[in-house]
Amino acid sequence: MTDGTLSDETIATALTGTGFTHEDTCLVRTVELADFAAVIAAVNRIAEVAEARNHHPDLLVHGWNKLTITLSTHSAGGITEADLDLAGRLAELL
């Protein structure tokens, strides 16, 4: 695709085993961790990886032990290789 966004088939194949789902123009994953401290530790690990890649997900801490991660390349209006790469790396972290 000319804007850098990827096809649904490419996205589906790349997401296998990551725990992320394809929802509209985003990749989304919710994880349930041991407690609030574990969620905050995960947020900090994600922040380090995201900052190093200059690609920043939306992070939502909810409940006392849940974290929802949303990836999208806003400037492209959808999902790009940068999102898939970050999803794969975050899957390794989580």
Side-chain angles (χ1 to χ4, degrees), residues 14-77:
L15 290 182
T16 302
T18 65
F20 280 87
T21 60
H22 179 194
E23 298 180 14
D24 198 21
T25 60
C26 299
L27 304 179
V28 179
R29 180 173 177 185
T30 297
V31 294
E32 187 172 323
L33 301 171
D35 54 28
F36 186 74
V39 170
I40 297 305
V43 167
N44 287 331
R45 289 190 308 271
I46 291 167
E48 288 177 16
V49 170
E51 191 64 23
R53 292 170 183 245
N54 195 32
H55 193 62
H56 306 98
D58 292 335
L59 302 172
L60 173 65
V61 176
H62 52 104
W64 60 277
N65 67 339
K66 292 181 182 72
L67 171 64
T68 297
I69 305 157
T70 304
L71 297 167
S72 182
T73 302
H74 302 290
S75 60

